[in-house]
Amino acid sequence: MRLLIKNIKTLAGILPLDTERLCGEQMQSMESIDGAYLVADDGVISSFGPMAQMGDVEADEVIDAEGRVVFPAFCDSHSHIVYAGSREGEFRDKIAGMTYEEVAARGGGILNSADRLHISSEDELFEAAQRRAWRMIRTGAATIEVKSGYGLTTEDELKMLRVIERLREALPATIKATFLGAHAVGRAFKGRQQEYVDYVCEDMIPKVAEQGVAEFVDVFCDRGFFTPEQTAQILECGKRYGLRPKIHANELASSGGVQVGIAYGALSVDHLEEANEQDVLDLKNSSTIPTVLPGASFFSNLPFAPARMMIEAGLPVPIASDCNPGSSPSGNMKMLWSLACIKMRLSPEEALAALTINGAAALGLSADRGAVSVGRRADLVVSKPVPSLAYLPYSFGEELVEKVVINGKIVCTNE
Ligand SMILES: [Zn+2]
């Protein structure tokens, strides 16, 4: 199966095949070609270059991308899209001035989602999550990480992870599963946080590993949630069972989450709204990737993570959606592109690197995803007609994704 995309106004996001992450000023270095073509054979990019060099190409499928920008599809390395119901009631309460604690006291927050998930069937959860995932795909994502964490009992966590497995089978996108049993303390363990941590380690993790339904282990390590010591206990246990750490850290306070993540070889530490200079320095001396989530900052009215400072320090920064019902109910990566430029002062090119190659790196997938290279997977976005690449984040809120190509096949076309 051969796909040809021709007459591309700008082909962006080009990197050498052996580049697996872009650090610091390298985030500016993705190349582009104006007036380009691209060929993919059996899902893999086999050639690209200026139109003048295309020659005669026979293809099974041809996209004429005149006036359009083509760039690597987004890699969303942090989401929570398996959930039941929505929480716009809390949205109303927060607008009216209620604090997080007051919302929680009225039955809101993660425990609210856990209650609703408990009474939902696996099929209901699957149908709702599949609709959300398709919304993400239609807006340009080809790789999506999905976490458990609204179960908070072994049975319900496994139910969520089975739903994620079904998403992997049903969708054209690459789906990665993360076990987040320590998202909050389950209701049955109210006031007994350490006992809950022991339950996560002794009951949940062995069963998750036995069923082979997750690749990563995550912990909400932050003020008011799990301590660095408890996080260490869970990561240590996860590692024994072959689960690589990817953790939530420093959303609410500089709480030691970054350091515990580094100590246990976390692939990424995510959120970092409250990251300080010491955190950045420690990350610099590690291979752990700092992932920022501007949608959560925007929706929850929190400070934005100091992505600029991280880039100046030479770190590889990915951007992910954190799509979840409470603090970031959107998986629209193009909107995050705008937020990264406007609120974090990333250039459009730096932000594109954060949304693609560095997102793939935060999932261990960047050897063959996240950029335009001969030999990488043809996961691509074809824009609607636009004046330039920078117009995409500039025209915030405008839907400008026309076609999404995954594994060399057109999986959706937006009117
Ligand atoms: Zn999250």
Side-chain angles (χ1 to χ4, degrees):
M1 159 75 193
R2 170 173 283 182
L3 170 74
L4 166 66
I5 311 179
K6 63 178 186 180
N7 298 325
I8 303 167
K9 183 186 177 86
T10 302
L11 176 63
I14 301 169
L15 282 179
L17 181 59
D18 61 0
T19 301
E20 293 195 13
R21 56 169 74 178
L22 292 175
C23 303
E25 61 186 24
Q26 296 172 340
M27 287 178 68
Q28 281 284 2
S29 71
M30 285 179 129
E31 289 182 14
S32 60
I33 300 172
D34 291 335
Y37 77 95
L38 179 145
V39 177
D41 284 297
D42 297 326
V44 177
I45 298 171
S46 53
S47 73
F48 62 86
M51 275 305 288
Q53 292 171 15
M54 184 174 85
D56 284 334
V57 180
E58 299 260 319
D60 303 292
E61 184 126 46
V62 178
I63 299 173
D64 189 336
E66 190 168 355
R68 290 153 170 85
V69 175
V70 173
F71 57 92
F74 302 125
C75 298
D76 188 347
S77 63
H78 184 137
S79 90
H80 308 251
I81 59 169
V82 177
Y83 59 84
S86 48
R87 289 175 17 202
E88 67 273 23
E90 290 173 32
F91 178 59
R92 231 179 234 295
D93 293 342
K94 287 182 195 160
I95 294 166
M98 235 181 242
T99 65
Y100 186 88
E101 285 74 17
E102 287 165 340
V103 168
R106 284 189 23 163
I110 294 169
L111 294 180
N112 178 4
S113 287
D115 293 342
R116 292 197 197 184
L117 185 126
H118 181 68
I119 55 169
S120 302
S121 73
E122 208 171 297
D123 285 345
E124 287 167 337
L125 291 170
F126 171 71
E127 291 304 328
Q130 191 183 28
R131 275 196 299 278
R132 288 176 202 121
W134 264 111
R135 210 151 51 225
M136 294 160 90
I137 294 167
R138 278 199 302 274
T139 49
T143 302
I144 305 169
E145 183 257 20
V146 189
K147 298 177 194 297
S148 69
Y150 296 121
L152 310 182
T153 64
T154 302
E155 197 183 316
D156 287 345
E157 286 293 308
L158 288 170
K159 177 163 79 171
M160 288 188 76
L161 290 164
R162 283 195 301 273
V163 169
I164 300 171
E165 273 213 318
R166 284 175 67 182
L167 292 176
R168 183 182 301 123
E169 285 155 20
L171 294 167
T174 302
I175 304 290
K176 286 279 178 181
T178 298
F179 165 67
L180 175 57
H183 197 191
V185 175
R187 279 208 198 276
F189 288 83
K190 190 167 184 238
R192 296 183 293 137
Q193 177 151 328
Q194 183 54 44
E195 283 175 55
Y196 182 73
V197 171
D198 295 339
Y199 168 62
V200 168
C201 292
E202 288 158 19
D203 199 61
M204 290 189 188
I205 289 178
K207 287 180 181 148
V208 167
E210 185 189 289
Q211 298 190 16
V213 283
E215 187 169 333
F216 302 107
V217 59
D218 194 342
V219 177
F220 193 172
C221 178
D222 220 317
R223 187 182 67 201
F225 288 83
F226 296 92
T227 66
E229 294 71 29
Q230 292 169 334
T231 303
Q233 184 186 338
I234 292 165
L235 299 187
E236 174 79 46
C237 173
K239 281 184 88 168
R240 270 206 314 279
Y241 283 93
L243 299 173
R244 185 147 191 211
K246 270 176 78 66
I247 69 168
H248 284 67
N250 296 35
E251 177 183 4
L252 308 169
S254 185
S255 54
V258 167
Q259 288 71 21
V260 72
I262 291 170
Y264 285 88
L267 182 53
S268 70
V269 287
D270 301 18
H271 267 294
L272 308 173
E273 287 82 350
E274 296 292 338
N276 59 31
E277 280 173 37
Q278 187 59 49
D279 296 323
V280 170
L281 214 64
D282 292 342
L283 284 163
K284 180 83 180 126
N285 294 316
S286 79
S287 58
T288 296
I289 298 173
T291 298
V292 300
L293 311 169
S297 298
F298 171 67
F299 187 82
S300 303
N301 227 353
L302 293 172
F304 284 77
R308 190 74 259 155
M309 177 168 84
M310 295 172 187
I311 293 171
E312 312 281 280
L315 291 170
V317 176
I319 292 170
S321 73
D322 196 21
C323 183
N324 78 79
S327 63
S328 187
S330 166
N332 188 323
M333 298 283 272
K334 183 186 158 292
M335 178 66 188
L336 302 179
W337 197 349
S338 300
L339 287 178
C341 294
I342 297 160
K343 304 298 283 188
M344 294 174 155
R345 294 178 42 244
L346 270 60
S347 72
E349 292 76 16
E350 286 172 327
L352 179 62
L355 291 158
T356 57
I357 186 72
N358 283 353
L363 291 171
L365 290 173
S366 57
D368 67 350
R369 286 167 174 76
V372 171
S373 322
V374 170
R376 272 194 166 92
R377 252 169 71 118
D379 288 354
L380 300 161
V381 174
V382 181
S383 77
K384 292 182 179 172
V386 289
S388 70
L389 179 78
Y391 185 85
L392 294 161
Y394 157 83
S395 187
F396 80 94
E398 184 181 0
E399 290 307 338
L400 291 169
V401 171
E402 186 168 86
K403 284 186 165 58
V404 179
V405 172
I406 299 183
N407 212 11
K409 294 191 191 76
I410 300 169
V411 301
C412 68
T413 300
N414 299 318
E415 292 311 316

